[in-house]
């Protein structure tokens, strides 16, 4: 499943962490959590106020979701990258 193939309604039916997983899987690079959640919000059309209100909950979800790993201060990867031999780029 690719982000570009999803409709707005399909994106809205997905959880933030599922959208984040797709973003990381497609970009294949580590991403700061703030930038990652901003991309999620942009895809869903959420406002800056909604971003600010939900960023803490998003961090908690990523911290407990076993598909994600924090590789550096504030940088996250999906576990799919760890099993791939490709070189990561920032």
């Amino acid at each position: 499943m690719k982000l570009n193939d999803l409709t707005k309604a399909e994106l809205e039916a997905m959880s933030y962490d599922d959208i984040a997983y797709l973003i990381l899987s497609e970009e294949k690079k580590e991403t700061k959590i703030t930038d990652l959640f901003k991309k999620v919000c942009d895809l869903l059309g959420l406002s800056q106020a909604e971003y600010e209100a939900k960023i803490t909950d998003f961090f908690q979800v990523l911290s407990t979701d076993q598909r994600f790993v924090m590789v550096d201060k504030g940088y996250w990867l999906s576990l799919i990258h760890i099993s791939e031999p490709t070189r990561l780029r920032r």
Side-chain angles (χ1 to χ4, degrees):
M1 181 179 348
K2 297 225 180 231
L3 283 170
N4 290 338
D5 297 335
L6 299 173
T7 65
K8 175 93 169 166
E10 289 172 323
L11 283 170
E12 289 173 346
M14 295 175 70
S15 64
Y16 296 155
D17 53 317
D18 286 340
I19 296 170
Y21 184 78
L22 286 176
I23 292 168
L24 289 173
S25 297
E26 288 182 15
E27 292 183 355
K28 295 186 183 345
K29 65 178 185 175
E30 56 194 59
T31 304
K32 271 195 122 150
I33 193 167
T34 51
D35 296 336
L36 180 58
F37 192 55
K38 183 65 176 149
K39 291 175 185 180
V40 171
C41 291
D42 289 346
L43 285 168
L44 295 172
L46 301 179
S47 68
Q48 180 66 24
E50 290 171 299
Y51 166 87
E52 292 170 4
K54 297 178 181 189
I55 185 71
T56 305
D57 292 334
F58 181 69
F59 176 80
Q60 276 187 310
V61 168
L62 257 59
S63 297
T64 59
D65 189 323
Q66 295 182 355
R67 296 177 295 173
F68 301 93
V69 63
M70 185 166 51
V71 293
D72 199 2
K73 293 185 179 186
Y75 285 90
W76 292 77
L77 283 175
S78 65
L79 284 180
I80 194 168
H81 298 110
I82 293 172
S83 62
E84 291 179 352
T86 57
R87 184 171 181 84
L88 298 174
R89 53 185 199 276
R90 261 192 207 170

